[in-house]
Each structure stands twice: as structure tokens, then as C-alpha cells.
Amino acid sequence: MTSVSKKITTNTRVIKDLLTKYVDTFAAFKELINNSLQAQAKRIEISIVYTDDILVKSAIKQIIISDDGHGVSYSDFDNKILEIGTTAKKTGQGIGRFSSFQLGELMHIETVGYDNKKSKFSKTSFSLDTTDFKDAQLENTEFKVDYEYFDEKLKPYYKVTIQNLHHNISQTPARKNLITQDFLPDNFAQSIFENYPYEIFHDKVKFVINDKEIKRENFLIGLPIKKVVEYYDKKGEKHEIKFYFYNIKSPLNKVKVFFQTDNAGIKSVAHEYTYSSDWYTPDLGTWFIYLESPFLNSDLFRNLDIDSLGEEEVRNLKETIKDTINEFFKSRNQKFEKFLVSLEADKSYPFKEELPASKAQEIIFKKVAYLLEEEHHLIQKNDKIRTFLYPLLNRAISNGDIEYIFRSILKMSNENIQKFRSLLEKTEIEDVVHFTNLVAEKLEFLSFLHELTYGAISNHLKERSQLHKILENELWLFGENYNGTPHLWSDKKIGNILKELRDKYFDYQPTKEDGNIIDLEGSPDDITDLFFMNEKINDIDEREIMIVELKSPKCAISEKELNQINRYAFTIEEHAGLPTDKVRYKLLLISSKLTRFTKSQVRSRRENFPDRPFLYDIKTEKNIEVYVMEWSELIEQNKRKLGYLSNQLNIKDKSVNEKFETEYSELIDEKISAQLRLIK
């Protein structure tokens, strides 16, 4: 093997503007595939090394693409590989072979080709690391090229290895350097097929991905259907547009349209979009439609991306495409056509007297109603539920909630559909929605509270104002009779006395000697206990004062805390400045944990009050109740209550991060926000 030093021939403008010019990394990778096709390859092998290493953000360590095309000989290596932005290629600027730079920093090329000058086969290899140069220095940087000649006949090939992906190395990689979803194991073969169906279907090229060949029967149902349409442009000239309809094995259940152009003899997809045909319904399966015509060019594709089309040519072309696709699906969807007759005659059809806001709204409504009919046979059963459901669907379509509601309804079993119908006959739907929403919000809050009191974020709740402000609006935790309780405090003197007594009996730090320290790794020393009071008038016109002592996450309730709450209750009982008549004092002592001694004491005391959860003691001189509990007990009790109320209502979890930042954003400090992002 011989090694020589060479320089790349280029200029700074090309390096800056062209080497990473592609829309995304998959588009850049397709350029390497196109190079293989232009080299008349019959087999293209792609190897992607996936990893679950947490340090590899893209989950991909290396990408290799090799082909059995004619390769590049050493004699041609300079002008075919090392010259950029020259006329080495008949079309383009000869930069496609360097598109790998958009994916990674390190590129290695290895190729075998027949050298006409030497009448021998040569093997050439070359590595380029973009970290070795800056934009302005590439043309001045020397690179080592290894080559070797062989007397025997070799099989030509061209192989590109891409390593050190930008996605993995950079803290904030540019959008164009992000590894797209197309590269994921579940998506890659599908993405290759989408972009090269002609080569795969006609068996012109075999694509092999990680040793597994892509075969047309893995993707296609039946044969593609070809349709040729005559299109007259605004000048009156006639053009042929070829439509190829592929029925795809995929749960996507959509129609995707691809525009193919000729790229130096290679059919490549220049533009794609998901199409909504008036006559297509998801039960027809997934369809890919490929269009090709000499009339279609890059300027036209750029215009197709514009919503407000100004050019009459593009508008006419889109109308021709739409009509052709609609006609295709209408001829295959007589079942849908028959359903529409029944739907439009139904008394609950929302557009009988009032026109839809747009044609699209009516089309979407018809499709959703059709799928619901397929699932639940609402029209066939003459079901009363349509009088509610159809207006709801129409409203959901108009305000953008259609996908969520549609998917939820389709998941309902026939049994629950009947229950829903029965429920609507007994109550108003708004009452049902209001009730279930309240239950859902409370269940969600309980999960949130559990994370606050037991999760990693509990170590960072330092300020009294944070947990206090959250809990004072959720007093239903301590009993449904507190639901929606207004914050009343008519007598500041009572509040001052209770606060003074609290400071006297509870203001201290837990110690190992007292056996009430919970060992929390990373728990800051300055977490304080929390204390708040609430006053309300109960159902028997009795004034109730609730005093809640929330111990810090590092403090367990031990014998000392039990003595403190006892002394606190006794002092209230004896204090002459605190009223007795028609007043109830409710004292709650809560922490994340009870010591073994405390659990034993609490368990014995609770047996005296089997019908009153968490009750620890009652003082008789004044109406004073003392409750001792763990947060987990209180949370579990509320979950059981809500479980009964909701009849096993299933609630989707919100992350602690989302709830905290949206509903309690004013309480967040920098450390808590960072911790929330860490644990979500």
C-alpha cells in the first residue's frame, strides 16, 4: 500500500454554502444513495450501528453505505473525488460524495475500480476529519491517500463510512445536523422504500439494510396501478403526468403523494406531502402515489410549498392532481358513497339547515362519521346517541379537538356505548363532563403531591410559601367538606395565639438522639417545617379552625412530635384567650414517615375511632381533634375515594414538570426548575 499527500481542490464559498446544503440529514444521506445509483450499482448495502449508550444522543454510532457500482480508480481519484465545485460531473457541482459531512465529522472512503491508464484494478482509501480545518483552510490542508494496484481481477465497489455524528458530539447541534426519525430501526427501511419504489419494485437495485434485503412484497399489496393524465398548461401545451398508485402494507392509513424527478438519470423524490382526498377513508389502507412528468421541475416544487398560491399554473396543476386522486378513490369506495346518502338524510346531520364553515369541515365530518359507523353502527341501530355525538363532532372539528375526541370515541366498546346512551337519558352531558373533569384533576393532583413529598423534588422545596400555597387551594385532601372552602380568618387574635403556640412547641431541628431524622441524600439543611391554618363555617353553623403542621421531608414523626402535638392541643384546651362555644379545633400532624414507635402508638389510638380515619386523640374540655398521618396514607385514602366516585375513571398522567410550571410558575426558583427537568 502506497501513501501520498493530496489537497482538495475547492474554494471557501463552496465549502460554506454547499457541503451541508441539504434540508436534513436523511436528504444528505439520499445523495450518497444517488451517487451509488449513478455508478450503476445493482446492490446497495447500508449498515447502521445502533447503541443504547446514554452518551450517544442519536442512538447511532456509525453509518456505512457501500455499493457494487463501477467504483473509482486511483487515476480518477483526484478529479472524481478531490475536486469540488468543478465540472467533474456533467450535472451538478460534484459535491454529493461529501454530503456525509452533514451527518458526521469523520468520513472514510474506500473504493476499488478499474484503472484504464494502468489496465489494472486499484484500491484507494481516504479519510477526512472536518475538525482538522476551518472553512477557509480546507483547500490548503493536506490529506493522506492510500492506494494499491492488483494484477488479479477484483470486484469494484465504493464504500463510505460516517463516524462522529454531529448529533452526538455537539451540545446544541444545528437543525440540519440532527439525525432524523427516518434513521430509526423501525423507520429506515420504510423511508428507503418511499424514496426508491421504482428501483425496488422493478428489482433494478437490491437494498440491504443491516444484512436484511428490502423486498417489494414486504411493502406492497398487489401490483401498482398506473394512470396517465393529459395536462394542458396555461400556454395550451399538452403534457403527460403519470400517476403510480401503490397500496402499501402499513398501519399509517393515509395517502402520501410523492413527486419524482429525473436526477441525472435517477428517479428521485423531490417533494412529498400527505394528501386528504374527499373520497379516501382509512379503511382503504395506506396508499403512496408517485407522480412524474417532464413538466415537473424544481421551481414548481418550491411553489407547491406555498399555501396561498399566486401562480395560476401551480393552482391548475394541483387541481388536476386532486381531481385525479379523488376519482381514483371514489371508484374504490362505493361503501362510503352509500353511507353518505344515509348520513345526509339523518335528522342529526349538522349541515341540513346550517352550511359548514368550509368545504373541508364537511368532508372531515363525513369521514369521521363513516368510521364511527364502521365501529359502532350508529345509523343502523337508529341510536339516540347521534343527537349528541354528531353536533359534538362538528364542534370538535371546528375548534381543532377532533383527533383527540375521535380517537377516544373509537376506543369505546359497544357495551360502554350503550352505557353512555343510558347515562345521557338520566343526566345532562355537561354535568357528566364537569364531574369527571373534577375527579380527573384531583387524581392528577394526588400523583403530583406524591412526587412533591416523596420524589426527588422534595429535597428542593425550601420556601414555606411553595408547598403552603399549593396545599391551601387543595384542602379537599383533608375532607370533601373542605372542597372549595373560602379562605376566612375573622379573628387575627386567635391566629396570633395559635401561631405563637406553634412556634413555642414545634420550632426545632430533628436530631439523631430523638430518632426522627430521615436520611435523605442531597437534602438541604435549611428545609423548614410548614404550618398553616384555615377557618370555615361547617354545615351545623359551627366555626371550624384547622391547623396543619407539615413536617419537613427530613423529619419523621417520632415520640417527640407526638408529645409536641399533645402539648399543643392541651394548651389550646387550657388557653383562656381561645373560644369554646360552637368552635371545633382540628389539628393535623403530617410527615413523609412515622417512626416504628409512632406507628405502634398511632395504630393503637386509631382503634378507638374506627369510623374516623387518622384520628389520634380527642380533647373533651374544648372540641379538639388531633390527627396524625403519613402523606402516603392521606394520598392513598383520597385515591380510593376518587376511585369509587369515578367508577375506575382512567386518567392520563401529566408530568410533574408540566403541572408545576404551568400552574405554579410563580413559585419556581432556579434550582427547583432544574430538578423538575431532571426527574420528568
Side-chain angles (χ1 to χ4, degrees):
M1 181 73 71
T2 304
S3 297
V4 295
S5 294
K6 292 181 177 290
K7 290 183 179 181
I8 289 180
T9 305
T10 185
N11 58 68
T12 57
R13 181 192 65 79
V14 170
I15 295 300
K16 182 177 180 180
D17 298 337
L18 298 178
L19 284 189
T20 57
K21 70 171 185 174
Y22 304 96
V23 176
D24 55 42
T25 49
F26 189 71
F29 186 75
K30 285 196 301 181
E31 190 64 30
L32 297 176
I33 295 177
N34 292 341
N35 285 344
S36 296
L37 296 176
Q38 288 162 353
Q40 299 179 355
K42 300 301 180 185
R43 182 182 178 90
I44 298 175
E45 296 189 22
I46 301 168
S47 173
I48 301 180
V49 179
Y50 296 101
T51 177
D52 56 2
D53 188 338
I54 60 173
L55 298 178
V56 181
K57 293 185 291 183
S58 72
I60 296 175
K61 292 181 66 174
Q62 175 178 278
I63 302 174
I64 301 173
I65 176 172
S66 61
D67 65 64
D68 62 353
H70 48 60
V72 177
S73 68
Y74 176 68
S75 295
D76 291 333
F77 197 79
D78 285 10
N79 69 312
K80 289 188 176 182
I81 301 298
L82 298 184
E83 291 185 5
I84 301 177
T86 68
T87 58
K89 279 180 62 177
K90 294 181 179 180
T91 60
Q93 293 165 298
I95 63 169
R97 56 194 174 274
F98 288 102
S99 61
S100 58
F101 284 150
Q102 188 159 330
L103 285 83
E105 291 181 349
L106 181 60
M107 175 190 70
H108 180 75
I109 294 175
E110 180 180 295
T111 181
V112 168
Y114 184 74
D115 195 318
N116 289 313
K117 292 182 179 179
K118 297 281 188 177
S119 298
K120 294 182 178 182
F121 283 90
S122 66
K123 179 180 179 180
T124 312
S125 60
F126 164 71
S127 294
L128 181 60
D129 191 336
T130 57
T131 59
D132 292 338
F133 59 87
K134 300 297 181 183
D135 285 357
Q137 286 88 41
L138 177 58
E139 66 269 35
N140 298 321
T141 305
E142 290 189 345
F143 303 98
K144 186 178 75 168
V145 176
D146 297 324
Y147 69 94
E148 184 177 2
Y149 281 101
F150 297 87
D151 293 328
E152 67 270 23
K153 184 178 180 180
L154 301 179
K155 290 184 178 181
Y157 68 85
Y158 190 88
K159 177 180 176 182
V160 179
T161 302
I162 307 168
Q163 297 173 319
N164 298 351
L165 273 59
H166 301 297
H167 191 130
N168 301 334
I169 297 172
S170 175
Q171 286 293 105
T172 54
R175 187 179 184 88
K176 66 182 180 181
N177 297 126
L178 293 172
I179 296 300
T180 68
Q181 298 288 316
D182 299 280
F183 287 97
L184 296 180
D186 293 338
N187 301 342
F188 192 66
Q190 177 82 17
S191 298
I192 295 295
F193 178 81
E194 286 183 11
N195 285 275
Y196 300 97
Y198 177 81
E199 287 78 9
I200 293 172
F201 180 80
H202 294 283
D203 205 23
K204 290 184 173 293
V205 179
K206 293 185 184 299
F207 286 89
V208 181
I209 300 172
N210 285 352
D211 299 323
K212 186 175 182 180
E213 182 181 344
I214 298 179
K215 297 183 178 180
R216 65 184 185 187
E217 56 264 29
N218 294 335
F219 295 94
L220 290 176
I221 300 173
L223 299 176
I225 300 168
K226 179 181 177 181
K227 185 176 180 62
V228 180
V229 174
E230 293 183 350
Y231 173 73
Y232 290 87
D233 65 22
K234 60 183 181 180
K235 297 178 182 179
E237 297 179 6
K238 184 175 72 172
H239 306 273
E240 279 192 351
I241 301 178
K242 297 176 182 178
F243 289 74
Y244 297 91
F245 295 84
Y246 290 79
N247 191 189
I248 305 298
K249 295 178 182 178
S250 167
L252 187 64
N253 290 341
K254 290 183 179 179
V255 177
K256 295 185 73 173
V257 179
F258 302 85
F259 290 86
Q260 289 189 143
T261 57
D262 186 279
N263 180 12
I266 303 301
K267 292 180 184 289
S268 59
V269 174
H271 180 76
E272 66 178 82
Y273 65 95
T274 299
Y275 188 78
S276 178
S277 168
D278 298 357
W279 289 94
Y280 169 82
T281 53
D283 57 323
L284 292 178
T286 302
W287 287 82
F288 290 171
I289 305 172
Y290 292 84
L291 281 66
E292 61 179 49
S293 172
F295 177 70
L296 302 176
N297 55 59
S298 58
D299 290 336
L300 195 59
F301 291 128
R302 282 193 288 271
N303 288 331
L304 284 170
D305 287 327
I306 302 174
D307 292 331
S308 54
L309 298 171
E311 292 189 17
E312 182 183 353
E313 191 71 83
V314 176
R315 192 162 51 245
N316 291 342
L317 176 62
K318 292 191 71 158
E319 196 65 30
T320 300
I321 294 171
K322 179 181 178 181
D323 290 344
T324 303
I325 296 177
N326 280 342
E327 180 184 337
F328 176 83
F329 285 115
K330 184 177 181 180
S331 66
R332 282 161 178 76
N333 211 349
Q334 297 178 1
K335 188 177 180 181
F336 179 52
E337 187 173 9
K338 182 179 179 181
F339 165 77
L340 292 183
V341 175
S342 301
L343 176 67
E344 292 172 359
D346 189 85
K347 63 180 181 180
S348 301
Y349 184 63
F351 308 124
K352 273 184 168 295
E353 298 179 359
E354 184 177 348
L355 293 176
S358 66
K359 180 69 174 175
Q361 180 175 338
E362 183 178 15
I363 291 170
I364 294 173
F365 175 85
K366 288 177 176 178
K367 291 184 179 182
V368 173
Y370 173 71
L371 291 181
L372 287 173
E373 183 66 23
E374 288 291 286
E375 187 75 20
H376 299 299
H377 309 293
L378 301 182
I379 287 182
Q380 292 181 21
K381 293 181 179 180
N382 194 23
D383 202 321
K384 180 183 176 181
I385 199 172
R386 294 196 311 280
T387 60
F388 154 74
L389 187 57
Y390 282 175
L392 174 63
L393 287 174
N394 187 39
R395 182 181 295 185
I397 292 168
S398 63
N399 64 22
D401 292 332
I402 179 58
E403 184 174 2
Y404 179 79
I405 291 177
F406 173 47
R407 292 187 184 279
S408 298
I409 293 174
L410 277 183
K411 289 179 181 177
M412 292 178 68
S413 65
N414 288 331
E415 180 183 359
N416 284 331
I417 284 282
Q418 295 304 317
K419 288 180 180 178
F420 190 29
R421 173 185 175 180
S422 177
L423 181 63
L424 291 177
E425 293 175 350
K426 300 172 185 176
T427 186
E428 294 296 326
I429 186 62
E430 289 195 3
D431 293 335
V432 175
V433 172
H434 178 69
F435 170 76
T436 53
N437 184 61
L438 287 177
V439 174
E441 288 181 348
K442 288 181 178 180
L443 285 171
E444 177 189 337
F445 179 80
L446 291 176
S447 297
F448 173 63
L449 180 61
H450 189 275
E451 186 62 43
L452 289 182
T453 52
Y454 290 98
I457 190 176
S458 65
N459 300 344
H460 297 266
L461 283 173
K462 294 184 180 181
E463 301 297 330
R464 290 174 180 243
S465 59
Q466 290 171 339
L467 191 56
H468 175 240
K469 285 185 177 295
I470 292 171
L471 290 175
E472 69 181 5
N473 293 316
E474 310 288 347
L475 296 183
W476 55 269
L477 286 164
F478 309 110
E480 281 300 321
N481 54 322
Y482 291 97
N483 198 25
T485 302
H487 303 301
L488 302 176
W489 200 258
S490 57
D491 193 332
K492 290 185 178 179
K493 180 181 177 182
I494 295 176
N496 290 335
I497 292 173
L498 294 172
K499 177 67 168 63
E500 182 181 337
L501 293 177
R502 187 267 173 186
D503 292 341
K504 178 179 179 180
Y505 293 116
F506 286 101
D507 193 14
Y508 85 107
Q509 291 292 323
T511 64
K512 289 184 178 180
E513 290 74 18
D514 291 329
N516 54 3
I517 287 184
I518 301 175
D519 186 16
L520 290 174
E521 185 179 349
S523 178
D525 294 334
D526 56 348
I527 292 181
T528 61
D529 295 339
L530 304 174
F531 169 82
F532 68 88
M533 297 174 286
N534 185 73
E535 179 189 24
K536 76 181 185 71
I537 307 299
N538 62 25
D539 295 337
I540 57 175
D541 203 30
E542 184 180 58
R543 186 177 172 192
E544 181 177 286
I545 297 172
M546 181 169 65
I547 304 157
V548 183
E549 174 72 20
L550 303 141
K551 305 309 293 182
S552 70
K554 67 179 179 180
C555 181
I557 297 177
S558 66
E559 183 178 7
K560 184 165 186 173
E561 281 72 30
L562 291 181
N563 291 334
Q564 289 172 331
I565 197 73
N566 273 324
R567 291 169 61 193
Y568 188 78
F570 175 75
T571 306
I572 293 175
E573 188 178 32
E574 295 291 313
H575 203 292
L578 295 174
T580 302
D581 187 40
K582 298 193 73 173
V583 176
R584 173 188 296 186
Y585 297 89
K586 189 173 182 179
L587 280 57
L588 281 68
L589 177 60
I590 310 177
S591 184
S592 300
K593 183 179 179 182
L594 306 181
T595 65
R596 293 176 64 182
F597 174 84
T598 307
K599 283 186 178 180
S600 176
Q601 292 292 308
V602 167
R603 193 178 299 117
S604 299
R605 293 290 193 98
R606 287 178 181 176
E607 289 179 357
N608 298 323
F609 314 103
D611 298 329
R612 304 178 69 178
F614 314 127
L615 186 58
Y616 176 75
D617 193 15
I618 294 179
K619 304 296 182 185
T620 55
E621 194 68 26
K622 285 188 176 125
N623 191 356
I624 301 173
E625 299 174 351
V626 180
Y627 295 81
V628 179
M629 67 197 78
E630 291 182 350
W631 277 116
S632 58
E633 292 181 305
L634 185 63
I635 292 171
E636 183 58 32
Q637 184 204 46
N638 277 284
K639 282 186 176 179
R640 284 199 303 268
K641 287 182 182 177
L642 293 170
Y644 302 143
L645 289 172
S646 66
N647 190 24
Q648 298 180 332
L649 177 67
N650 292 318
I651 305 302
K652 291 182 180 178
D653 290 334
K654 273 188 180 179
S655 70
V656 176
N657 181 43
E658 179 184 356
K659 185 171 181 67
F660 206 115
E661 293 191 353
T662 55
E663 300 183 26
Y664 306 106
S665 57
E666 74 280 0
L667 305 180
I668 294 179
D669 61 27
E670 185 174 347
K671 289 186 178 179
I672 288 179
S673 181
Q675 183 65 19
L676 284 165
R677 286 193 292 274
L678 178 65
I679 67 175
K680 68 179 181 177

